[in-house]
Amino acid sequence: MKLSLKPFVLLSILVGYTGQAAINLSSLEDLKNRTNSELRRFTEFTGMTSKFRSLSPASPLGILGFDAGIELTTIPTDAFQVFDEKIDVPPAFPRLSLAKGITPNLDIEVSALVPAVLGNQINLPEELKELLVYGGGFKYTMLREKGLVPFSLALRASYTRLNLSFFHLDTYSGDFSVSRSLSLPLLPVSITPFAGLGYVNINGEFKDENLDLIKASKTHQIQDYRYFAGASLKLFIFDVTGQADFGNPADANTYSLKIGLEL
């Protein structure tokens, strides 16, 4: 029981920190002074930071497979800098993640950040009362590491929605990845490095009443490629996965870590 509670205690602490420090807006009137380039940059950084990440190799879980964990993703220090006052962001962005095998080669994956579930335990600023981030995807493994095939190859399609009181964001992405599992002799440990390439389509929309529509548009769309690489370490049913994501701009690169149980 003690072991099972630790990840959720950690998550509560991190989400609490996120709610208190991520955005402390002085006034949404600041948005009326922003240009299109500033709003576009906000959309891009928010999308690249919040987008769904599988944090898993290309190999499938299998019909009976199941994975549950806590994911932490770094945030660029100026990710939310669209307001006049300086905003202090937390060092990492926490989410709960789940994955389940549907067929021998197809997995469904979901993740979510909902600070409001902690209610009065954290003091959210008014502008963050409606903060909600959720996403998911399907991973199909075209080639499975078995017999004469030395690696796994997978395709993935995913979607992410982020909601704030003044802004919402839809991010669509697709990627392919390759992985190879390596077992350590005489130990119940396996290491699976993986890497991939993907496409990202970010669509952000600000509420009309918060903008000067003569100077700036309420909708912004960004399309780009992303590259990622990582490794998964598995010991019995425990799994630790790290991943680095790269794209444009370079200062929006993120680093993620997931700690979970895989059955």
Side-chain angles (χ1 to χ4, degrees):
M1 180 62 70
K2 290 183 180 179
L3 182 61
S4 64
L5 287 176
K6 286 183 180 179
F8 296 97
V9 172
L10 173 62
L11 178 66
S12 298
I13 293 172
L14 287 170
V15 172
Y17 178 62
T18 302
Q20 293 172 347
I23 304 180
N24 181 22
L25 308 182
S26 59
S27 172
L28 290 177
E29 291 296 314
D30 291 347
L31 290 173
K32 294 185 177 179
N33 299 322
R34 303 284 76 86
T35 64
N36 262 326
S37 61
E38 290 173 308
L39 297 180
R40 178 181 172 84
R41 182 180 183 277
F42 176 88
T43 302
E44 182 175 35
F45 269 63
T46 305
M48 295 300 285
T49 300
S50 66
K51 70 179 184 295
F52 173 80
R53 295 167 181 78
S54 174
L55 299 183
S56 68
S59 53
L61 289 171
I63 295 178
L64 300 178
F66 178 80
D67 183 277
I70 295 175
E71 162 197 337
L72 300 173
T73 297
T74 61
I75 300 176
T77 56
D78 57 351
F80 297 103
Q81 199 58 52
V82 71
F83 305 97
D84 286 339
E85 74 173 69
K86 180 175 174 56
I87 298 169
D88 296 322
V89 298
F93 193 97
R95 283 191 281 200
L96 289 174
S97 66
L98 301 172
K100 177 70 178 72
I102 301 176
T103 73
N105 293 336
L106 180 65
D107 295 348
I108 182 172
E109 307 163 324
V110 296
S111 71
L113 167 65
V114 190
V117 300
L118 296 177
N120 295 327
Q121 298 180 43
I122 56 177
N123 182 26
L124 287 174
E126 190 62 34
E127 292 83 0
L128 277 185
K129 293 294 185 183
E130 300 176 15
L131 175 63
L132 173 65
V133 181
Y134 59 87
F138 290 94
K139 180 179 73 176
Y140 180 73
T141 303
M142 299 180 295
L143 289 177
R144 300 182 64 180
E145 184 181 334
K146 187 177 181 181
L148 297 177
V149 182
F151 57 87
S152 294
L153 181 65
L155 290 176
R156 180 183 293 103
S158 60
Y159 166 79
T160 309
R161 161 56 73 102
L162 179 144
N163 278 330
L164 286 168
S165 62
F166 60 93
F167 175 75
H168 70 258
L169 185 80
D170 295 298
T171 302
Y172 305 88
S173 60
D175 63 68
F176 73 88
S177 59
V178 60
S179 66
R180 164 76 185 218
S181 181
L182 305 170
S183 298
L184 298 183
L186 305 178
L187 294 174
V189 177
S190 65
I191 300 175
T192 307
F194 59 89
L197 168 67
Y199 168 81
V200 181
N201 188 313
I202 301 170
N203 300 273
E205 182 173 348
F206 295 85
K207 288 190 176 180
D208 291 357
E209 59 266 29
N210 300 130
L211 300 178
D212 181 348
L213 295 180
I214 296 177
K215 295 192 300 183
S217 171
K218 72 172 185 176
T219 60
H220 298 269
Q221 183 182 67
I222 295 97
Q223 301 178 42
D224 208 343
Y225 291 98
R226 60 180 280 255
Y227 313 87
F228 59 93
S232 177
L233 173 67
K234 186 174 182 181
L235 172 64
F236 297 112
I237 64 172
F238 300 98
D239 178 75
V240 179
T241 302
Q243 179 174 309
D245 286 74
F246 307 99
N248 289 319
D251 51 355
N253 294 342
T254 59
Y255 302 89
S256 304
L257 180 69
K258 184 181 76 173
I259 302 173
L261 301 177
E262 182 177 325
L263 303 175

